[in-house]
Amino acid sequence: MIKFDKVNALIEKNNVDALLVLSDYNRRYLTGFTGSSGAVVITKDSRYLISDFRYKAQAAKQADQFEFVLQNRGLLDFIAEFLEQKGLRTVGFEGQHINYNTYEQLNRQFDLVPLTNEIETIRMYKTSEEVSLIRKACDIADEAYDHILGYIRPGQTELEVRNELENHMRKLGAAGSSFDIIVASGYRGALPHGVASDKKIESGDMVTLDFGAYYNGYASDITRSFGVGSVSEEMEKVHAIVLTSQLAALEQIRSGMTGKEADAIARDIITEHGYGENFGHSLGHGLGLEVHEMPGLSKASDMVLEKDMCVTVEPGIYIDGVGGVRIEDDCIVTESGLEKLSNSSKELFII
């Protein structure tokens, strides 16, 4: 498989005997194994999945491209013994994931080489199978949004809406929500990460929903803003500006563009309308096994967007004490631009 060709190239480039992977998401990405404990050791010629008796049958089924190694003592002690037995002295490790105590223990016996974000870089490029799973996760979120528009009524709390949204996504096949659902109504809409509270939704509120589904390990992440009863002229104007900026970004972002250039498309439109200081976060981020992955679409990102990367596009405007609007879609970068994976309506809907 292509990802193993890239891992082998990583091993060769860094002149290590083996790559040790302990983080949950990278372990799952490389092996397909969904158990909660284990380690991956990959050399130029072999692939090993180390885990305990609980996962023996599961690993055989899910990680059929790996040799299962039964762990019979503490994981870290077993890893050290295993590496020693195999004569693996120079070991690449995930610099951003291994804690200090783990590093100290392994570094006494082995020459450790940090390979920070190297597996995450490989993960940026999605296979057709991964895109299909993300698309399904988006379909679930889209259908859940349509459902919630028919559910919300003034007087309900944000928490009630959150719970209904998550329950409906589960009914549609999601394993659960891909992150803590944001339901921000009225003045709380000015909080970009205003997770659901006990505030009651009132007539006249603009409501922002930021949510997503986990489906077979892959995430979706969409945001929609709508009104209840009516909205002020200012919030109607803000919604129109955010939507215009988002549509422009979706239309213009291309493979070969930096994250900084992509971010500027939407940011410049919002700034031209006088709300530049009210757009304080980045335009988007990568999406896959995790809801936030590489690459970033931000003012600081020089990373170049390439075909098969999956990204969000989510401009927003937030006005303290008044409210806010954010609109977000999930997209795959193609040779000619962006293909949108989320498709629920973004027009200003008034319940």
Side-chain angles (χ1 to χ4, degrees):
M1 296 176 66
I2 294 174
K3 63 184 173 186
F4 292 123
D5 291 341
K6 292 180 178 179
V7 169
N8 287 341
L10 187 62
I11 291 171
E12 186 171 348
K13 181 182 76 172
N14 289 277
N15 196 29
V16 295
D17 298 328
L19 172 65
L20 172 64
V21 176
L22 292 174
S23 65
D24 291 345
Y25 287 110
N26 285 343
R27 182 180 64 233
R28 176 166 184 165
Y29 173 73
L30 291 169
T31 67
F33 174 63
T34 61
S36 62
S37 177
V40 171
V41 175
I42 300 178
T43 72
K44 293 178 182 178
D45 304 313
S46 304
R47 303 172 195 151
Y48 305 99
L49 172 60
I50 300 169
S51 193
D52 60 68
F53 177 80
R54 295 172 297 169
Y55 298 113
K56 184 177 180 181
Q58 180 180 341
K61 182 177 180 180
Q62 293 181 329
D64 57 0
Q65 297 186 68
F66 283 72
E67 179 181 338
F68 180 76
V69 180
L70 182 63
Q71 166 200 343
N72 56 17
R73 62 179 64 83
L75 181 59
L76 203 54
D77 289 338
F78 187 87
I79 288 170
E81 181 179 303
F82 179 80
L83 294 173
E84 190 75 46
Q85 288 177 346
K86 295 294 182 180
L88 304 171
R89 303 302 308 168
T90 305
V91 180
F93 72 99
E94 304 160 288
Q96 76 278 30
H97 293 300
I98 290 185
N99 63 39
Y100 180 76
N101 289 341
T102 299
Y103 174 83
E104 278 285 281
Q105 184 170 338
L106 293 175
N107 198 46
R108 297 189 196 113
Q109 295 177 250
F110 307 98
D111 297 323
L112 298 184
V113 179
L115 305 182
T116 301
N117 283 329
E118 296 284 6
I119 303 299
E120 285 80 357
T121 299
I122 296 172
R123 279 170 48 191
M124 286 195 301
Y125 301 90
K126 303 301 188 281
T127 65
S128 59
E129 291 80 9
E130 288 179 298
V131 174
S132 293
L133 292 172
I134 297 169
R135 191 188 304 276
K136 177 61 177 178
C138 288
D139 290 344
I140 291 171
D142 284 336
E143 190 170 340
Y145 178 65
D146 290 341
H147 168 77
I148 212 70
L149 289 179
Y151 170 85
I152 293 178
R153 294 292 181 270
Q156 292 171 335
T157 67
E158 294 173 348
L159 284 168
E160 287 177 302
V161 173
R162 189 278 305 273
N163 292 342
E164 179 67 19
L165 193 56
E166 177 156 6
N167 287 339
H168 196 72
M169 288 194 294
R170 288 180 182 274
K171 289 178 182 177
L172 295 172
S177 175
S178 53
F179 56 93
D180 199 355
I181 292 173
I182 292 169
V183 183
S185 62
Y187 66 90
R188 292 192 73 253
L191 304 173
H193 278 189
V195 295
S197 73
D198 58 3
K199 177 191 175 298
K200 290 185 177 181
I201 296 171
E202 302 173 4
S203 183
D205 280 351
M206 182 74 84
V207 180
T208 294
L209 300 181
D210 187 346
F211 63 100
Y214 263 129
Y215 180 77
N216 281 6
Y218 282 81
S220 59
D221 178 10
I222 73 170
T223 307
R224 298 291 185 264
S225 296
F226 56 90
V228 177
S230 64
V231 296
S232 67
E233 288 185 9
E234 181 177 24
M235 293 311 295
E236 186 174 351
K237 173 186 174 184
V238 165
H239 189 282
I241 294 168
V242 172
L243 181 56
T244 297
S245 71
Q246 204 243 7
L247 292 174
L250 291 173
E251 175 66 26
Q252 297 175 38
I253 291 174
R254 292 285 184 274
S255 175
M257 184 176 286
T258 64
K260 184 187 302 184
E261 290 169 333
D263 178 275
I265 296 169
R267 192 171 303 279
D268 287 351
I269 291 173
I270 291 174
T271 300
E272 287 167 6
H273 283 85
Y275 289 96
E277 294 184 357
N278 303 93
F279 179 21
H281 57 75
S282 63
L283 179 63
H285 54 82
L287 181 73
L289 285 169
E290 295 180 83
V291 76
H292 288 95
E293 297 188 348
M294 297 163 59
L297 278 61
S298 75
K299 293 187 289 185
S301 177
D302 291 319
M303 186 169 287
V304 176
L305 298 178
E306 297 183 45
K307 182 178 179 292
D308 297 327
M309 292 181 178
C310 186
V311 297
T312 67
V313 179
E314 50 180 301
I317 293 175
Y318 313 91
I319 305 172
D320 289 344
V322 178
V325 172
R326 181 166 65 256
I327 301 172
E328 174 184 20
D329 283 306
D330 303 337
C331 308
I332 192 77
V333 180
T334 70
E335 292 178 349
S336 58
L338 293 180
E339 178 188 350
K340 199 155 58 70
L341 304 178
S342 48
N343 294 292
S344 49
S345 174
K346 295 177 288 192
E347 298 301 320
L348 179 55
F349 187 85
I350 305 295
I351 293 174

